[in-house]
Amino acid sequence: METRSVARNVLVAIGLATLALFLWKVLPVLMLAFAGVVLASAIHAGSEPLSRRLHVPDAIGVAIVVLLFAAFLTAVGWLFGTGIAAQTEELSDTLPRAFASVQSYLERTELGQHVAGEIGSIVSAQNMARVAKGTVTVFGGVLDLLLVLVLSLYLAANPESYRRGALHLLPPRSRPRVAAALADAGSKLRRWLLGQLASMVVVGIATGIGLALAGVPMPFALGVLSGILDFVPVIGPLVAAIPGVLVGFAQGPEVAMWAAVVYLAVQFCEGHFIVPLVQRWAVSLPPAVGLLGAVVFGLLFGLIGVLFAMPLLVVVVSLVQDLYVRRLEEDSMAHAEAGHPPCSEGSNSP
C-alpha cells in the first residue's frame, strides 16, 4: 500500500509538471483566445440589446453589429480618411526630423549629451526590431489578427454553448458557483469595455483640440493616436505623448512645453473624473495594479499581453472576488452564526 501511495504521488507530480509545461508552451495561443473573448464581449454588448428587442437569434444580432460597425468605419474613412492619411504620412516624415532636432538641442550640454546617447540606444534599430519581433506571437501579426476576429465572431454568435462546454469540465457541485462567477466577470468585462471606449473617445478628442490650441502640427492624427493608445494602462498615454512633444519641439521648446501640458492635463482629468466613473460602474482597479499587470503580462505574452492587461485583470479580479474572497466571507459568517470563532492559522477546524 505504501508503494502504491508513493507511485500515485509520483504520477500526480509528473502529470502536474506535464500540464504546466503544456500550458507554458501554449501561452501565446491562450492569450490570442482571450483577445478573441474580449472582442466577442464587445460585439455581444452591442448585439444583445438588438437580439432582445428585435427577437432575433444571436447570430443575426452579431451580423447586424458587424455590418453597422463596418458602415461606421466606411463613413469615417469617407469623411475623414483623406485628412487622417495625409496627417499620418506627414507625422511619419516629421518625427525623424523632430527627433534630430531634440538630439541637437540636448548635445549642447554635457548632461544633454549623456541623455541623448541613452535615448539613441533605446530607440536603436536593433531594439526596434526586437519590439517588432515581439508583436508576432504564433503565426504572425496578420494571421493572429484574423484568428482573433474569426474566434470572436464564433464566440459572440453562440456564447452559451462554449460556456456550458467549459462548465462540463468541472465537478457538478462546483458548476453553479463557477457559472455565476463567469456571468459576473463577463458583465464586468462588457461594462469596462464600454467605459473604456468612452474614455478613449474623450481622450482622443480632448488631446486633438488641446494640441490644436497649443499650435502643434497634425493635432488630429496625434489625437487619434492618443485615443487608441489609451487602451493600454499607464504605458499607453506615455507612449502617445512622445510623438506629440517631439513634433511640438520641432516648432520650438515653448510649443513642446505646451504640448506636454496638454497631455498632462488630459491624463489628470481622465484619472480623476473618467476612470473613477468607469471603475465604479465596472470593477475598481488601483493604478499600481494596472501598471504591474501590464509589466507581468508583457513579460509573459509580449506586446499582446500589454495590450490586454487591463481586461485580463478585470476578469481575474472578478473571479477571485466571487470564487475566493466571497467564499471566505461566507465561511466566516457561517462560523459566526454557528457560534464558532473564525478559522485561523494552526486551527484544525474545517
Side-chain angles (χ1 to χ4, degrees):
M1 293 295 295
E2 185 175 350
T3 303
R4 291 181 180 178
S5 177
V6 172
R8 182 173 61 250
N9 292 336
V10 170
L11 290 176
V12 170
I14 294 175
L16 292 176
T18 304
L19 179 62
L21 180 61
F22 173 76
L23 292 178
W24 177 257
K25 289 295 184 181
V26 300
L27 274 179
V29 180
L30 295 178
M31 200 61 200
L32 287 178
F34 181 75
V37 171
V38 172
L39 186 55
S41 299
I43 297 173
H44 187 66
S47 65
E48 186 180 16
L50 293 176
S51 302
R52 186 173 61 250
R53 293 179 182 180
L54 301 179
H55 303 287
V56 297
D58 289 337
I60 302 299
V62 169
I64 294 174
V65 169
V66 172
L67 291 176
L68 289 176
F69 184 69
F72 172 76
L73 290 181
T74 303
V76 170
W78 182 69
L79 293 174
F80 307 104
T82 304
I84 295 175
Q87 288 199 8
T88 302
E89 184 176 358
E90 184 180 357
L91 180 62
S92 64
D93 294 335
T94 304
L95 282 177
R97 296 196 300 268
F99 182 72
S101 176
V102 172
Q103 275 190 316
S104 63
Y105 182 82
L106 291 175
E107 289 175 354
R108 297 175 184 176
T109 62
E110 184 177 352
L111 178 61
Q113 291 176 1
H114 178 71
V115 173
E118 292 296 328
I119 295 176
S121 63
I122 293 174
V123 299
S124 63
Q126 293 180 349
N127 290 334
M128 293 299 102
R130 292 193 189 100
V131 174
K133 185 178 179 180
T135 62
V136 180
T137 54
V138 182
F139 308 108
V142 177
L143 292 180
D144 286 345
L145 180 59
L146 291 176
L147 176 63
V148 170
L149 291 175
V150 174
L151 181 62
S152 64
L153 293 177
Y154 280 124
L155 293 175
N158 192 7
E160 283 300 318
S161 63
Y162 297 100
R163 189 176 68 90
R164 287 194 302 267
L167 291 175
H168 284 162
L169 300 176
L170 302 175
R173 61 186 180 87
S174 302
R175 292 173 187 172
R177 179 183 288 271
V178 176
L182 289 176
D184 185 44
S187 176
K188 289 179 179 178
L189 178 60
R190 287 191 294 271
R191 285 182 291 175
W192 181 86
L193 286 171
L194 292 175
Q196 185 63 30
L197 178 61
S199 177
M200 291 167 63
V201 172
V202 172
V203 167
I205 294 175
T207 302
I209 294 175
L211 292 177
L213 294 176
V216 179
M218 298 157 291
F220 192 82
L222 292 171
V224 171
L225 180 65
S226 296
I228 294 174
L229 291 179
D230 192 66
F231 187 82
V232 183
V234 183
I235 302 174
L238 178 62
V239 174
I242 294 175
V245 175
L246 286 177
V247 172
F249 198 91
Q251 306 298 312
E254 185 178 353
V255 178
M257 182 192 68
W258 283 113
V261 169
V262 169
Y263 283 107
L264 290 175
V266 171
Q267 289 306 311
F268 178 84
C269 294
E270 182 191 18
H272 287 78
F273 300 104
I274 302 176
V275 172
L277 292 176
V278 174
Q279 292 187 347
R280 191 181 308 168
W281 189 41
V283 61
S284 179
L285 290 176
V289 176
L291 176 60
L292 292 176
V295 173
V296 172
F297 295 138
L299 292 175
L300 289 175
F301 307 110
L303 182 61
I304 192 172
V306 177
L307 292 176
F308 292 95
M310 283 303 293
L312 186 56
L313 282 174
V314 169
V315 173
V316 170
V317 169
S318 178
L319 292 177
V320 169
Q321 289 176 345
D322 291 338
L323 297 178
Y324 180 71
V325 176
R326 188 169 298 172
R327 186 166 186 174
L328 289 180
E329 294 175 350
E330 292 174 356
D331 292 343
S332 178
M333 293 177 60
H335 278 281
E337 292 175 356
H340 300 292
C343 295
S344 59
E345 292 186 9
S347 174
N348 294 326
S349 301

